Amino acid sequence: MTFPRYPEYKDSGVEWLGEVPAHWVVGPLRWYATIQGGVAKGKSYSDDTPTIDLPYLRVANVQDGHVDLSSVNTVTVALSEVDRYRLQPGDVLMNEGGDNDKLGRGTVWQGEIADCLHQNHVFAIRPNHHLLPHWLSMFTRSSAARSYFYLYSKQSTNLASISSSNVMSCPLPLPPQEEQRQVLSFLDHETARIDALVKEQQRLIELLKEKRQAVISHAVTKGLDPDVPMKDSGVEWLGEVPAHWDVMKLGMITLDKCDGPFGSALKSEHYSSSGVRVIRLQNVKAGEFGDQDSAYIDEEYYKSIGSRSGVLSGDVLVAGLGDGNNVVGRACVAPEGIAPAMVKADCFRFRLDAFRARPNFMANQLSSGAAFDAGRLASGSTRSRIPLSSMAARFVAVPPPKEQESIEKYLSEAKEKIDALLEEAGHTIELLQERRSALISAAVTGKIDVRGWRADQQPEQSEMLMAAEGRATYG
């Protein structure tokens, strides 16, 4: 889908903004809006000052172009100050600080909560009659605005902050108000279509992940032969298993097992840049080793706290602690080249009998049954914990080693196919989001002319997907 350019342009006078349509005006935001500071929590008042507790929006409520009202706190203010800090419908809310990608992204306050105030780290920008609030909100999401906010913000590691004066000095390209409405109608329509496509891809990813887990669970509990005789395993979550499989406790196929050293023996201050790899809970994923977060300790210190918790490639690693996002009892296999390594507290290492069990098969089966065993064996209210002894008592179904090997090969191929589809869906989402951002930037800076656009004259969504794959251009 290609959009025309305006018939005539002029130099905006702003290097990062470039040319704008000849009839547009470019001026600092202060020409078109005022900015309202917020209330600082904890401000003290004298005993004879009348006060009131009112809801107020914090930085946490104003995130990435939307307002999160799921958790709104209250703040005590003097009655005489309420009007000074009260939000009005149409105010554009913007955080003073945040990461570089989200800093300065404005969202329009619709007045969802009556008499709502805002924190002093949240700006409330109040447009005048020349500027539509949604135009300002859209402009703050453009690449041009992102360049300005990055240029005039104070940087601290991956965070940034910007002053109210710099916000109000931001050059704003502004067409006549009726044209603002037309551009916004276009963007609302087109971004809604793109958002719908993104949701479709996100749902596809969810279904693929469910399919992936279902394939794994079925293979490691039922095998690959649909005609094989079955028997009751006596274990609720396993159900029926092939009749020739052995059902036993994990400890019966384990040569050696261990927990990590007691918590006080290994703290963050003991970590170093190299040495013995420390395997922590975040490294133990369901069926996969997460290698993104590495930690090490000095080899001499490792020897001093005992090498019994050492890990070799092929060891099965099991999480003894879990939460709502990461179930206790999930397992993976220590990868090649991991040694020298050790497990931290609440990370268990099982060294299996190689003549009876294959690590990848058992890690996938343990992960498949983790949620059930967590409910049966775990203790703890906020975080679930299973001790090493109970973990070793978990029941597993063990096929002959050759059959385990065949199931591992089948799962490797199945995972590879599903992972390729997951990657493709993720890439499509990236393309759609890039297209969304490019479309907004092009429209609010006048690089495309959508004055003649009509919603009932648009192509089908298949063309939108073509655009997402880079086969459409703007201007």
Side-chain angles (χ1 to χ4, degrees), residues 78-284:
L79 282 172
S80 60
E81 295 179 338
V82 171
D83 288 342
R84 176 182 174 186
Y85 301 122
R86 182 189 282 120
L87 292 172
Q88 296 181 12
D91 285 348
V92 178
L93 305 178
M94 183 185 298
N95 279 336
E96 174 190 27
D99 63 49
N100 282 315
D101 288 337
K102 298 178 180 179
L103 177 67
R105 292 195 183 188
T107 185
V108 180
W109 174 245
Q110 305 287 356
E112 295 92 334
I113 301 174
D115 292 325
C116 189
L117 313 183
H118 62 106
Q119 188 184 35
N120 57 324
H121 297 299
V122 175
F123 300 134
I125 302 170
R126 191 159 296 155
N128 61 25
H129 65 280
H130 295 291
L131 172 62
L132 295 178
H134 283 90
W135 180 269
L136 176 58
S137 176
M138 279 292 187
F139 177 71
T140 63
R141 304 175 205 183
S142 70
S143 58
R146 312 307 315 146
S147 298
Y148 176 85
F149 290 130
Y150 179 80
L151 184 63
Y152 287 93
S153 63
K154 293 181 179 178
Q155 302 292 318
S156 175
T157 60
N158 62 330
L159 298 178
S161 63
I162 191 165
S163 67
S164 59
S165 61
N166 280 333
V167 169
M168 299 306 284
S169 296
C170 178
L172 179 69
L174 199 66
Q177 195 170 98
E178 190 55 39
E179 193 171 337
Q180 293 178 48
R181 290 193 178 93
Q182 172 69 4
V183 173
L184 289 172
S185 295
F186 162 78
L187 288 175
D188 286 345
H189 184 276
E190 292 301 305
T191 57
R193 288 163 61 117
I194 295 173
D195 290 344
L197 291 171
V198 169
K199 286 183 179 179
E200 287 181 10
Q201 294 300 309
Q202 289 171 336
R203 178 57 180 156
L204 174 60
I205 288 174
E206 291 175 5
L207 292 173
L208 286 170
K209 288 181 177 178
E210 291 174 7
K211 173 70 173 178
R212 190 179 191 272
Q213 186 54 50
V215 168
I216 294 171
S217 296
H218 188 274
V220 297
T221 59
K222 311 302 178 189
L224 304 180
D225 184 356
D227 300 320
V228 70
M230 306 292 283
K231 68 179 180 183
D232 183 5
S233 67
V235 180
E236 184 176 348
W237 81 269
L238 280 171
E240 287 194 332
V241 298
H244 63 287
W245 289 20
D246 296 323
V247 179
M248 63 186 69
K249 293 181 179 179
L250 176 60
M252 295 180 66
I253 54 173
T254 299
L255 299 178
D256 187 46
K257 63 183 184 297
C258 72
D259 190 357
F262 189 71
S264 61
L266 184 56
K267 299 180 179 179
S268 57
E269 56 260 34
H270 295 126
Y271 292 155
S272 60
S273 58
S274 62
V276 176
R277 175 72 182 270
V278 179
I279 296 171
R280 299 175 290 173
L281 286 167
Q282 56 262 50
N283 301 125
V284 183

Side-chain angles (χ1 to χ4, degrees), residues 280-292 317 319 326 330-333 363 367:
R280 299 175 290 173
L281 286 167
Q282 56 262 50
N283 301 125
V284 183
K285 310 293 184 183
E288 297 177 358
F289 183 82
D291 203 21
Q292 297 83 1
L317 308 171
N326 301 284
R330 63 192 184 275
C332 67
V333 179
S367 294

